[in-house]
Amino acid sequence: MSRVVVVGAGAREHALANALASSAEVVVTPGNAGIAAQGIACVVTPAIDLRADLFVVGPERPLVEGLADQLRTQGKAVVGPGADGARLEGSKAYLKEFLAAAGVPTAAYGVFSDQQSAESYLATMRPPYVVKTDGLAGGKGVLVTDDFDAACRDVAEKLSGAAFGEAGRTVVIEEGLTGAECSFHVLVDGTNYVALAPAKDFKRVGDGDEGVNTGGMGAFAPMFSTSSHEASEIERTVIVPTLAELARRGINYRGVLYAGLMMTDAGPKLLEYNVRFGDPETEVLVPLYGEELFDLLLNTAEGRLDGASASESGAAVTVVLAAEGYPQSPRKGDVIGGLGPDGQLATQMESVIVFHAGTLRNEAGEFITRDGRVLAVTGLGSTVDEARRRAYEGAGQINFRGSVRRSDIARGAGVS
Ligand code: AMP
């Protein structure tokens, strides 16, 4: 049997490990309590010291820091770009320069490291004002506001280092775009790509997209079909020119490329690239591919996607259960009710999977909250509506003090 190492510790890695476990022996480093509870090995050994036929790197930071390069130097097959490709996510200023060179549609922008020029530029923009940290900020470095003074204050907090440390000492200010957002994941093998089902994630903490941006409060897929007009327009205007630009720069990109898009009246525009699977998008994407996933990822790592395609079946919706106070100051250490010893629903509902994001087990063996995002509850079905009903039924069986969840994930998404 093949052996796969998954790198990471969240619900994304739980979803990957859970899906890959049907085709391979899976080891996760470091993993989490929910993954271990399902009988999947979690080890603290660094990836570089493990042996496997395939390495799948979950989070962006190790990719930006060159983990995939180190693994490839040892001849290992890796899903995840080297540090050169990972700059697409690691620096927003680099991303914008790259997109201009590639001819990919994106918001107008300026890059600033002093307050006065940033404010002068903001004064030329119309609301909403968009202020981003240049460096990595765990998905929380973006302010979108109609309030000019709030935008200026945010620039000051970022540039001073107070808000995001070094990552914020350069800011990118962008034209505010409107439309539906879409997460479009492709697997790239250096030359060829395979598109996965378009997904929608819900970034704001509150119902109706109110409140602050978070790492993500839920998601559903498919948002539309991979054979739709929208998908082919995204591929033609965004993905294909991006791969051509990567090739021009001599970057051999092997991994997941996740385009965060705004579907504007003037067509899709790129908000951001991520160089790995989205979280919580993975919790809805991965279950749609079942046993196909292992071959898709191995072929991605080995440069063998030519002629390949991915065929999803059904639909999935995930609802994130977060801790009270998330994202600013989440409570920790509360006992979670409704889970069995395997970390899944105690009632063992069919077509519902519980992915653990931030849990621990206490001495009594109970699961307790460990982080802001605690669990992602995924429902599967033949339509988005059916999947949504199951996800919420499952989520309704779990309780912990002050738990925060949105009630409108995938509401009205209709038949897929
Ligand atoms: P990013 O990390 O760049 O994807 O930004 C996080 C979130 O901020 C996005 O998912 C959007 O909801 C919002 N956002 C980012 N850029 C823009 C923009 N130019 N116009 C409007 N909203 C944006």
Side-chain angles (χ1 to χ4, degrees):
M1 204 180 200
S2 304
R3 191 175 147 99
V4 182
V5 167
V6 175
V7 179
R12 166 182 48 212
E13 289 74 25
H14 191 173
L16 286 164
N18 181 72
L20 290 167
S22 57
S23 337
E25 181 197 342
V26 179
V27 176
V28 189
T29 172
N32 65 38
I35 301 174
Q38 285 202 295
I40 296 172
C42 293
V43 300
V44 291
T45 317
I48 200 79
D49 298 324
L50 293 169
R51 293 220 322 240
D53 305 288
L54 178 66
F55 288 74
V56 182
V57 183
E60 60 277 16
R61 192 168 293 278
L63 293 168
V64 170
E65 290 169 357
L67 176 60
D69 300 302
Q70 292 165 27
L71 291 166
R72 288 195 178 101
T73 304
Q74 298 186 350
K76 289 168 173 163
V78 188
V79 175
D84 53 1
R87 279 186 84 194
L88 288 177
E89 180 165 1
S91 163
K92 297 238 188 242
Y94 172 79
L95 170 72
K96 296 299 270 189
E97 178 271 315
F98 180 100
L99 296 176
V104 170
T106 185
Y109 74 105
V111 180
F112 304 95
S113 26
D114 77 280
Q115 184 74 22
Q116 205 168 6
S117 20
E119 285 193 17
S120 312
Y121 186 73
L122 274 172
T124 69
M125 313 288 279
R126 278 184 308 176
Y129 305 100
V130 181
V131 182
K132 303 185 173 187
T133 58
D134 175 47
L136 292 179
K140 296 167 200 132
V142 179
L143 177 77
V144 182
T145 178
D146 285 338
D147 179 344
F148 179 81
D149 293 332
C152 293
R153 277 197 304 277
D154 189 62
V155 168
E157 280 165 22
K158 282 174 176 157
L159 290 183
S160 71
F164 294 97
E166 286 308 309
R169 287 193 185 272
T170 300
V171 295
V172 172
I173 294 176
E174 281 189 7
E175 165 198 14
L177 300 175
T178 49
E181 278 185 57
C182 171
S183 301
F184 197 82
H185 289 68
V186 293
L187 301 174
V188 182
D189 76 349
T191 313
N192 311 287
Y193 72 91
V194 168
L196 302 182
K200 180 164 174 58
D201 79 337
F202 294 76
K203 287 213 172 68
R204 301 278 184 149
V205 72
D207 279 6
D209 286 335
E210 297 288 331
V212 293
N213 266 323
T214 68
M217 296 299 291
F220 74 89
M223 184 178 172
F224 42 83
S225 152
T226 33
S227 56
S228 62
H229 165 74
E230 290 103 314
S232 54
E233 197 183 3
I234 292 168
E235 291 179 39
R236 180 175 57 79
T237 62
V238 176
I239 305 298
V240 170
T242 296
L243 298 195
E245 182 64 22
L246 284 167
R248 253 195 303 280
R249 294 182 184 217
I251 298 173
N252 183 5
Y253 192 106
R254 292 187 180 191
V256 180
L257 183 64
Y258 146 22
L261 300 158
M262 190 73 92
M263 307 299 281
T264 73
D265 290 342
K269 293 199 179 184
L270 192 99
L271 296 177
E272 63 167 345
Y273 268 131
N274 295 296
V275 299
R276 35 76 196 175
F277 278 109
D279 189 354
E281 288 90 335
T282 310
E283 291 93 293
V284 291
L285 282 178
V286 153
L288 302 182
Y289 296 95
E291 293 185 7
E292 223 186 320
L293 185 72
F294 174 74
D295 282 340
L296 280 169
L297 295 182
L298 187 64
N299 289 336
T300 298
E302 294 186 339
R304 289 192 281 110
L305 282 180
D306 194 14
S309 63
S311 45
E312 75 266 13
S313 65
V317 173
T318 199
V319 177
V320 169
L321 307 186
E324 183 181 333
Y326 177 71
Q328 292 91 345
S329 50
R331 272 177 67 91
K332 293 173 190 173
D334 293 308
V335 173
I336 304 168
L339 299 178
D342 62 353
Q344 297 298 301
L345 291 178
T347 54
Q348 305 200 328
M349 252 184 82
E350 226 178 284
S351 302
V352 175
I353 324 176
V354 180
F355 297 121
H356 289 233
T359 65
L360 277 180
R361 290 185 100 155
N362 63 17
E363 278 171 14
E366 299 164 309
F367 289 94
I368 59 171
T369 62
R370 175 186 59 99
D371 209 350
R373 287 192 293 180
V374 179
L375 299 165
V377 183
T378 295
L380 305 172
S382 50
T383 63
V384 173
D385 282 344
E386 188 178 42
R388 173 173 203 274
R389 208 177 54 245
R390 290 183 172 144
Y392 273 105
E393 253 176 66
Q397 299 188 16
I398 300 173
N399 50 74
F400 52 90
R401 190 177 152 177
S403 98
V404 175
R405 67 193 70 179
R406 279 182 65 160
S407 69
D408 63 349
I409 303 299
R411 177 181 288 158
V415 193
S416 60

